[in-house]
Amino acid sequence: MRNALQAASVPSIVEISATTEAGTIRFEVRDHGPGLPAGMRHHLGEPFVTTKSPGQGMGLGLHLVRLLAHQMGGNLTATPADGGGERFVLVLPVGATG
């Protein structure tokens, strides 16, 4: 959520939702920023990969989220959002304890 707020062109427009379905909980965060640069999506979640200016981020936040999601049997994905920005989806099994 913090990354979405920092990326959003209009910081007050970040959409967050949580739903459950078929034994999973799905968290979705969508910003209205510029979206990820070309080629970045392939490296998303790797340690020390960031789109932020030097000194503004270490590139570990999404890496840690993706690592924890995997350990809990879930996943994290990013896709371009309709109308601009990025949509991140974290899906975890209900009752996951890691």
Side-chain angles (χ1 to χ4, degrees), residues 13-28:
I13 302 178
V14 173
E15 301 165 25
I16 302 167
S17 66
T19 57
T20 59
E21 181 179 313
T24 64
I25 185 164
R26 173 187 167 108
F27 300 94
E28 187 172 314

Side-chain angles (χ1 to χ4, degrees), residues 7-94:
S9 298
V10 181
S12 62
I13 302 178
V14 173
E15 301 165 25
I16 302 167
S17 66
T19 57
T20 59
E21 181 179 313
T24 64
I25 185 164
R26 173 187 167 108
F27 300 94
E28 187 172 314
V29 178
R30 189 230 198 249
D31 67 57
H32 292 263
L36 292 172
M40 174 60 87
R41 192 171 280 80
H42 178 71
H43 297 286
L44 196 64
E46 293 178 10
F48 307 110
V49 172
T50 183
T51 60
K52 296 177 183 173
S53 301
Q56 299 299 310
M58 294 179 56
L60 291 176
L62 288 175
H63 170 68
L64 292 174
V65 171
R66 180 169 273 167
L67 181 65
L68 289 171
H70 179 73
Q71 288 178 347
M72 296 170 71
N75 64 22
L76 174 69
T77 58
T79 56
D82 293 338
E86 204 69 28
R87 174 175 285 113
F88 289 84
V89 177
L90 172 64
V91 178
L92 298 172
V94 173

